[in-house]
Amino acid sequence: MRRFMFIALLVGVTGCASSGVRHVATVSVVSAHAVLAATQDTEMLLVCGKPGAPAAPACVPLAEHKVISAKLADAFGVDVQVATIIRDWPATGAAPTSIGALLGQITVVVNYVLDHLPPGALTTKLLTVIGGAK
Amino acid sequence: MTFTIQALTQWIALGEQILNTGQDALTAVKAAAVAHGIEQDTAQLDAVILDASLRRAMAIGQAEANKGPNG
C-alpha cells in the first residue's frame, strides 16, 4: 500500500506569530498543493479510454475515476481553505491551530488516490516526484 | 475569493504572458504579483488559491460527468 506523508513542518510551532512561522506554513501548503496537483494530473492520464492511457487493467476505471475526482474536489476545497487561513493570518496573531489537521485531510486523499492507481511508469514517476513510497 | 491583482490590464498582460511564454499559470500569477510589490508568501498563497479553485472545479466536473474524460 502506497503511503505519502507530508513532512510536519509545523511541528514545534509556538503560539507566537512571526514572519518565519508564517513562511513555514506557506511552504507547507504550497508543497501540499503541488503534491495534490501532481496526483490529479497523473490520475487523469490513467483513466481508461482516455487517449494515451494504458489498457485495462493498467488504467483507472471510469467509476473509480469519478470517486477519485469527488475526493480530489474535496481536497482542493481544503487546499483553498488552508491557503486562505494562512494568507489572512494577522501578523500579531497566534498561529492558526487548524492548519495541521487540514493538511492531514489532504494527505488522506493523496494516499487514497495512490492506493487506487495501477502500477506502471506514470505511477512510479509520480511517486518519485512527490516522495511517496510503496 | 479575493485577488490582490485587480486591474483588468494586468490580467490581460498576465494572460498574454502565459500564452506567449508557455509559463504555467501558477508561476505566472506569482511572478506578476511579486512584480507589483505583493509580498512573496502572499503571492504564493494567492496563486495556490487560484490554481486549487480551478482544479477543484475540474474535479467536480469529472466526478459529475456522465461520459468519459473526453466528453
Side-chain angles (χ1 to χ4, degrees), chain A residues 3-90:
Chain A
R3 276 292 174 262
F4 176 84
M5 295 182 66
F6 290 114
I7 296 171
L9 297 178
L10 296 181
V11 170
V13 166
T14 67
C16 175
S18 72
S19 61
V21 173
R22 185 174 181 271
H23 180 68
V24 168
T26 299
V27 170
S28 295
V29 72
V30 169
S31 297
H33 176 76
V35 168
L36 195 56
T39 303
Q40 181 184 46
D41 289 345
T42 299
E43 192 271 344
M44 282 289 290
L45 291 173
L46 291 171
V47 177
C48 297
K50 186 177 177 66
C59 58
V60 177
L62 183 58
E64 181 59 36
H65 169 64
K66 294 179 73 172
V67 171
I68 287 173
S69 295
K71 291 181 181 294
L72 285 171
D74 291 341
F76 280 114
V78 173
D79 195 7
V80 170
Q81 185 181 356
V82 70
T84 302
I85 288 171
I86 298 170
R87 185 193 64 185
D88 296 344
W89 174 359

Side-chain angles (χ1 to χ4, degrees), chain B residues 9-53:
Chain B
T9 53
Q10 291 169 332
W11 277 116
I12 292 172
L14 180 60
E16 289 177 344
Q17 179 183 339
I18 293 170
L19 290 172
N20 293 334
T21 66
Q23 191 177 38
D24 69 88
L26 198 66
T27 303
V29 167
K30 179 192 167 188
V34 172
H36 285 85
I38 296 167
E39 179 260 341
Q40 189 165 21
D41 279 353
T42 299
Q44 285 265 24
L45 293 165
D46 279 336
V48 166
I49 290 168
L50 174 61
D51 192 65
S53 297

Side-chain angles (χ1 to χ4, degrees), chain A residues 79-115:
Chain A
D79 195 7
V80 170
Q81 185 181 356
V82 70
T84 302
I85 288 171
I86 298 170
R87 185 193 64 185
D88 296 344
W89 174 359
T92 56
T97 57
S98 58
I99 295 174
L102 291 171
L103 290 177
Q105 292 181 32
I106 295 175
T107 302
V108 168
V109 172
V110 168
N111 283 324
Y112 178 90
V113 178
L114 292 179
D115 285 342

